[in-house]
Amino acid sequence: MRYLVYGAGAIGGLIGGLLSAAGHPVTVVTRGAHREAMASRGLIIHERATGRTDTIRVNAVLPGEESGPYDVVYVTLKAHQIAASAEHIASLRAKDGCFVFVQNGLPWWYFDGLDSPHAGKRLLTLDPQGTLARAFPNETLVGSVIFKPCDLVAPGSISHVVAATDRLVIGEVDNRRSSRLESIAADLGPAGLKTEVSADIRKAKWTKLLSNAVWNPLCALTQAGAHQIAAYPPARDLAIAMISEAKAVAAAVGVPLDADPQKIVHDMVKRVPATSSTLADVRAGRQLELDALCHAVIEIAELTGVPVPSLKNVTACAGVLDQRIVEDGVAYRPVPVR
């Protein structure tokens, strides 16, 4: 299969690099110094725990320089970045190909392909104009969620830590098990990223979202690591309340989660210090990924009548920060996370 990775930052770069190293025909699309570094010297992948560093030759191109069509298009842009490039990305798929959307948070097609009272409802916070639904028909979609700590530490250089929990989870919109899911997993798993075929991709997304909807906005607002927030009693109580609310929203749409909010927060104190992606965006002066992580959860809460006061309040404050970044070009300089 011919692969395209559109938006090859940390996660996209890692996927493209692993597939390239395994001998698959891969093109990665990105811009600026990151693309220039990969095109000139290759992609550097550094594993922090062992110190192993690999330099991988990749075919890195600018948007518009692709030589499609492609059988599998990994879309690894952030959720709020997809609409601007949707028509172009859609044109790159082979006739029987598919798009694997690797984003955090909930997808615009959440209620499609489900036996649900809300079947077919579009999440307006994620696709207000129907742009994504028109560009990417459901039969072309593969949903996914990735559990993989990974950072773009310099142009053309990715740092990661191998953990037992590392995996990419993929699934069809209608939850059926398909041959294309098996083919995707058969290539990426042996290349170095465990790939799990799920019969409930929405549950996998909610599992990660219990953390993303909480720690991402809190880290952005406090300029702190999640472990520091979890260690501070008043903030710890707030995080527990937010996780409990998100869990209740998931249950309201038929996704019961076996998760203990108190344990999640307690365990966070012991985690290795890390900078959340949203905090990294604050420090770089980039738009925050709030729609898929927070606003969509609140939209579903309102649809199902689940009260989410803590999520609403924290998201409102993070939204003000996001507005300052977008409208005023404000960036907040790095404060070391210890």
Side-chain angles (χ1 to χ4, degrees):
M1 295 192 294
R2 298 187 72 217
Y3 289 97
L4 178 72
V5 180
Y6 199 97
I11 291 298
L14 181 69
I15 291 173
L18 292 176
L19 285 169
S20 296
H24 299 288
V26 184
T27 298
V28 299
V29 178
T30 188
R31 303 174 185 269
H34 184 46
R35 187 203 68 83
E36 293 171 7
M38 286 195 288
S40 62
R41 65 144 197 265
L43 174 66
I44 296 173
I45 298 180
H46 174 71
E47 206 286 310
R48 293 195 291 270
T50 64
R52 174 174 173 170
T53 298
D54 295 306
T55 300
I56 302 166
R57 300 302 305 182
V58 294
N59 179 29
V61 304
L62 291 167
E65 294 181 346
E66 311 92 348
S67 57
Y70 299 91
D71 301 298
V72 178
V73 179
Y74 284 97
V75 183
T76 49
L77 298 169
K78 291 192 174 180
H80 58 271
Q81 299 171 329
I82 299 172
S85 303
E87 186 175 342
H88 176 62
I89 296 171
S91 71
L92 300 172
R93 179 183 66 93
K95 180 180 178 181
D96 296 319
C98 64
F99 302 100
V100 182
F101 283 87
V102 188
Q103 282 81 38
N104 286 325
L106 299 177
W108 74 90
W109 46 262
Y110 186 89
F111 289 115
D112 292 339
L114 285 181
D115 181 12
S116 162
H118 312 294
K121 179 176 177 56
R122 188 173 75 241
L123 292 175
L124 297 179
T125 51
L126 301 178
D127 192 18
Q129 306 301 324
T131 302
L132 302 179
R134 287 191 298 271
F136 307 110
N138 284 345
E139 62 270 17
T140 69
L141 302 177
V142 170
S144 75
V145 59
I146 191 165
F147 298 84
K148 177 62 185 174
C150 193
D151 299 300
L152 183 63
V153 294
S157 184
I158 293 170
S159 176
H160 71 112
V161 176
V162 173
T165 54
D166 289 355
R167 66 197 187 280
L168 175 71
V169 184
I170 57 176
E172 296 285 356
V173 170
D174 59 5
N175 288 331
R176 63 189 171 85
R177 197 171 185 101
S178 66
S179 59
R180 69 183 180 186
L181 296 180
E182 302 292 347
S183 295
I184 292 167
D187 279 355
L188 188 54
L193 180 59
K194 179 183 175 182
T195 305
E196 176 184 313
V197 175
S198 174
D200 192 347
I201 190 61
R202 292 164 183 82
K203 185 172 184 178
K205 281 188 166 291
W206 277 110
T207 298
K208 187 174 183 182
L209 189 57
L210 283 188
S211 292
N212 283 149
V214 176
W215 303 119
N216 283 60
L218 286 176
C219 291
L221 289 168
T222 62
Q223 291 276 301
H227 64 294
Q228 295 168 314
I229 296 169
Y232 182 65
R236 179 173 64 235
D237 292 342
L238 175 59
I240 291 171
M242 293 172 70
I243 294 171
S244 299
E245 291 172 5
K247 181 180 176 183
V249 176
V253 287
V255 185
L257 297 173
D258 183 18
D260 180 350
Q262 293 194 22
K263 185 177 187 303
I264 292 173
V265 175
H266 178 268
D267 290 347
M268 184 57 69
V269 178
K270 300 176 287 186
R271 293 279 294 274
V272 175
T275 301
S276 78
S277 61
T278 307
L279 177 52
D281 287 340
V282 170
R283 293 174 175 175
R286 295 188 294 257
Q287 182 178 356
L288 306 186
E289 195 176 14
L290 296 179
D291 287 343
L293 299 183
C294 302
H295 290 136
V297 178
I298 294 170
E299 182 178 352
I300 293 178
E302 293 174 345
L303 179 67
T304 56
V306 176
V308 288
S310 299
L311 282 169
K312 281 186 174 181
N313 291 338
V314 170
T315 301
C317 294
V320 174
L321 176 59
D322 184 46
Q323 184 173 317
R324 289 199 64 204
I325 291 170
V326 173
E327 295 184 359
D328 303 333
V330 175
Y332 296 84
R333 293 302 100 198
V335 176
V337 174
R338 299 187 300 273

